[in-house]
Amino acid sequence: MKIAFLVPAYNEAATIRDVLERIDALGLDRQIVVVDDGSRDETAAIVRAYAAEHDGVLLLEKPNGGKGSALRHGIPHLDGDVVVIQDADMEYDPAEIPQLVAPIEAGVADVVYGSRLSGGRAQRAYLFWHMVGNRFLSLLTGLLFNTTLSDMETGYKAFRTEILKSLPLTEDEFGIEPEITGWICRRHLRIYEVPISYYGRTYDEGKNITWRDGFRAVWVLLRVRIARG
């Protein structure tokens, strides 16, 4: 299967080339679509130079609008059989991609979530209230959609490409994560989870998500649950 990597990036000059090199080190039949979301550093220039050296790397540039707007901007350009959302900050290790996509390649899954909360992989001891928020949102997802997802806010997701392209996504910022989860649960797709490592960043190291995004996530889950269609 050809795997398309969708990489939203905002001020990730310190890590973006490492991410691209680690993807290519896997030796996969792949496409890489990087969406530079109005970075103020050298992110776009680094990707442009990498694309000049490697085939199958597409750089899209847009004004800053948030992670959701970057993902939505990149989705129409995907041409792989499977798409993996790969953050540019190295919180998630591309070396674990083969395990993430394996259930789709085996024909048993439509969507696979990489779970930071199911154990079995290296985990940085990170922010307590972020963990509480993630567990609460996963519990709420279970109640609303009758699912057992342990980490609905994970940034590591793999999809059959036609599924991601079919979702009616509208969120511009981090609300895109619960929006994606709500719609795939609404459609009763075959969802699997695999444990992943998590190399989380602190706010001083560049982490952007805040408690306000948690409240937005609750609203988005409720909105999708009661939406028509």
Side-chain angles (χ1 to χ4, degrees), residues 1-159:
M1 287 186 170
K2 182 177 182 179
I3 299 178
F5 291 86
L6 180 53
V7 186
Y10 177 66
N11 292 341
E12 300 294 357
T15 54
I16 184 65
R17 187 175 180 96
D18 193 16
V19 168
L20 299 176
E21 290 175 344
R22 292 194 185 201
I23 290 173
D24 276 339
L26 298 173
L28 302 171
D29 180 13
R30 60 92 182 122
Q31 174 202 31
I32 303 176
V33 177
V34 180
V35 184
D36 182 78
D37 191 41
S39 295
R40 298 188 300 272
D41 63 5
E42 295 301 309
T43 298
I46 293 169
V47 177
R48 193 176 298 111
Y50 192 87
E53 303 165 0
H54 301 81
D55 294 334
V57 180
L58 175 63
L59 171 65
L60 303 174
E61 298 180 72
K62 59 179 288 297
N64 181 249
K67 182 177 182 178
S69 70
L71 292 177
R72 291 191 294 107
H73 190 75
I75 286 171
H77 299 271
L78 302 171
D79 67 5
D81 303 295
V82 177
V83 56
V84 173
I85 296 175
Q86 171 70 58
D87 287 350
D89 55 14
M90 284 303 300
E91 287 192 336
Y92 303 98
D93 187 352
E96 297 180 3
I97 291 297
Q99 290 76 32
L100 186 70
V101 301
I104 298 177
E105 292 181 325
V108 298
D110 299 308
V111 182
V112 182
Y113 276 40
S115 175
R116 301 164 293 179
L117 302 176
S118 58
R121 295 280 183 170
Q123 300 285 322
R124 179 176 180 176
Y126 61 113
L127 303 172
F128 173 78
W129 290 111
H130 275 262
M131 181 191 69
V132 171
N134 286 344
R135 291 192 182 277
F136 170 76
L137 291 171
S138 295
L139 175 62
L140 180 61
T141 301
L143 292 171
L144 291 174
F145 299 101
N146 192 27
T147 185
T148 58
L149 284 171
S150 67
D151 188 8
M152 59 77 63
E153 279 277 5
T154 180
Y156 236 174
K157 301 179 179 73
F159 311 79

